[in-house]
Amino acid sequence: MPFHSLVAQPADSLLRLIGAFRADLRVHKIDLGVGVFRDDAGHTPVMAAIKQAEMRLIATQDSKRYLGPEGDKGFTALLEPMVFGDTVTADRLCGVQTPGGTGALRLGAELLAKAGVRRILVGQPSWANHAPVFAAAGIIVVAHAAFDMIGQTLDLPAMLSAIGQAEAGDAILLHGCCHNPTGIDPDADQWRAIAAAVADSRIVPFVDLAYQGLGDDMASDAAGTRAVLSAVPFGLVAYSCDKNFGLYRERTGALWATAPDEEARDIVLSNLLALARANWSMPPDHGAAAVRIVLENERLAADWRAELDGLRGRLQRLRGELAAIGRAGAIDLAPLVHGKGMFATLPLSSGQIEWLRATHGIYMAGSGRINIAGFAPGDVARFGEALVDLDRAGVA
């Protein structure tokens, strides 16, 4: 029987973490594991603007017919100015709706593979699902150094060295903003250096823009993407509405490709549509329709931006609280104030992470990644005390 050759796969580590946290009966446990935004009460609310859009959708939608493999064209068209500004002209740009940002990454990976790209450079650490997505499309992941986790800074020389050693026709994965899992983003000068290096090496940039609006603001969070795409003839951008529209379970994303001219753009689009058709045929509609309704209505768009400002403000406030602790045992939290978005990665060993869970009820990924939004009021101080206690205990 063919299925006898299958080997059992390990359960997802974050799913195991969720189960362990729920089973923990301690009152002051802290969940810094799963990457969803939470408010002070620990909830992941539906945005009011999205609720209003969903009500309008229910009242006006008169059919559930297929949209086609390109999905909701209004959705992608309304997102484009926020992502690209005036960097890429319409004759160079094509986009399709996808099932979430992960669907966009997989579709882009398959396009690269079909175009003959064999390898993609991925700075370490990166989101845990990046490597499996590219590997599943048959692309070899080439890991390279990119961060100084002790100093919580970008290792630009290491990154530029990796780009310089790439082969023409390779691709490189870049986090557009709010890096997952480190929260460490290039500044404007560093982005310009990266863009120039990518252009000089004649490699294809693939930007994962999953957290626009949660770093500084919508325009600033897209500045790196725009700098890179303006320097190269071909590029890809995977986009997620999970975080900035709060649409986690609706799987709402998009993939854009840039090409040097209209003829090349049309060829790329035809391949994107063929690949999308073979993968999911037609993308789900509800989340994209809700985003479109928000963005095409001036009042709802203003309400959404105000809510997004609130999400970003909470993250920035929590980073400030962590930074104010300064050094907690062997860990210096001060640099976290310069990070962006929901995540940071602390230089902790697996034994130290397990000790924090067992002794203080602090749950985080085995890599040391913490979800900044997981802190409830009072948690930051307890977290700092736990790190001091960890140092006193001498756990290696």
Side-chain angles (χ1 to χ4, degrees):
M1 294 293 290
F3 290 148
H4 288 166
S5 64
L6 294 178
V7 177
Q9 299 297 301
D12 184 274
S13 59
L14 281 179
L15 294 181
R16 291 201 306 270
L17 200 67
I18 291 172
F21 180 81
R22 288 175 177 169
D24 192 329
L25 300 180
R26 285 174 287 186
V27 175
H28 294 302
K29 60 185 179 178
I30 302 175
D31 182 6
L32 306 178
V34 181
V36 298
F37 182 86
R38 292 192 177 100
D39 59 20
D40 281 347
H43 299 146
T44 303
V46 179
M47 285 184 160
I50 288 293
K51 275 287 191 184
Q52 288 295 316
E54 289 178 315
M55 291 171 64
R56 295 185 185 200
L57 182 62
I58 290 170
T60 60
Q61 190 175 62
D62 59 2
S63 176
K64 295 290 186 180
R65 65 185 181 277
Y66 292 126
L67 293 175
E70 67 270 42
D72 189 325
K73 293 181 180 180
F75 161 76
T76 51
L78 286 164
L79 285 173
E80 283 169 7
M82 299 193 306
V83 175
F84 301 99
D86 58 2
T87 300
V88 182
T89 55
D91 61 326
R92 294 187 53 219
L93 181 66
C94 60
V96 297
Q97 180 198 335
T98 61
T102 304
L105 287 165
R106 179 58 185 267
L107 183 62
E110 295 204 4
L111 181 71
L112 290 175
K114 192 172 184 181
V117 174
R118 296 178 49 254
R119 310 192 317 162
I120 187 165
L121 281 65
V122 179
Q124 298 301 307
S126 195
W127 180 46
N129 208 25
H130 278 144
V133 166
F134 288 109
I139 295 179
I140 299 169
V141 173
V142 180
H144 66 87
F147 302 97
D148 172 5
M149 299 315 305
I150 300 298
Q152 293 287 305
T153 58
L154 182 74
D155 189 346
L156 184 63
M159 194 171 184
L160 296 180
S161 175
I163 294 172
Q165 295 174 39
E167 301 172 5
D170 284 349
I172 182 170
L173 178 72
L174 300 168
H175 295 237
C177 68
C178 305
H179 186 276
N180 179 2
T182 70
I184 302 168
D185 289 350
D187 61 25
D189 288 340
Q190 290 170 330
W191 271 122
R192 283 190 285 270
I194 292 167
V198 168
D200 289 344
S201 296
R202 294 183 296 163
I203 61 178
V204 180
F206 192 164
V207 181
D208 187 359
L209 188 57
Y211 303 93
Q212 189 183 13
L214 290 175
D216 290 312
D217 54 62
M218 291 295 289
S220 299
D221 289 353
T225 300
R226 297 173 186 179
V228 172
L229 293 179
S230 66
V232 296
F234 289 100
L236 292 170
V237 177
Y239 195 87
S240 172
C241 294
D242 281 7
K243 309 301 191 299
N244 58 3
F245 284 90
L247 287 167
Y248 299 92
R249 68 175 63 170
E250 302 301 343
R251 311 312 302 137
T252 306
L255 177 74
W256 289 279
T258 61
D261 53 47
E262 187 173 356
E263 181 181 3
R265 178 207 65 186
D266 290 346
I267 292 172
V268 170
L269 178 59
S270 70
N271 280 272
L272 282 177
L273 294 177
L275 289 168
R277 175 73 169 138
N279 273 279
W280 48 74
S281 186
M282 316 289 170
D285 173 60
H286 183 86
V291 171
R292 172 177 48 75
I293 290 170
V294 168
L295 295 180
E296 67 189 5
N297 181 281
E298 185 175 342
R299 184 183 64 80
L300 286 181
D303 290 346
W304 164 68
R305 287 180 181 273
E307 290 182 87
L308 184 59
D309 289 346
L311 269 59
R312 182 174 64 251
R314 180 169 193 272
L315 294 172
Q316 292 172 340
R317 173 173 55 81
L318 287 167
R319 285 185 176 277
E321 291 180 18
L322 286 162
I325 293 173
R327 183 165 292 279
I331 305 296
D332 187 6
L333 299 175
L336 297 188
V337 74
H338 303 297
K340 309 293 183 184
M342 292 173 54
F343 301 113
T345 296
L346 302 180
L348 294 167
S349 69
S350 58
Q352 290 170 328
I353 291 168
E354 173 59 25
W355 187 90
L356 287 169
R357 183 200 64 77
T359 307
H360 290 277
I362 295 173
Y363 288 76
M364 68 180 76
S367 63
R369 188 195 81 168
I370 61 172
N371 176 13
I372 303 291
F375 288 108
D379 281 352
V380 169
R382 285 194 291 272
F383 182 68
E385 292 165 1
L387 291 178
V388 171
D389 194 22
L390 170 69
D391 191 53
R392 289 174 181 154
V395 181

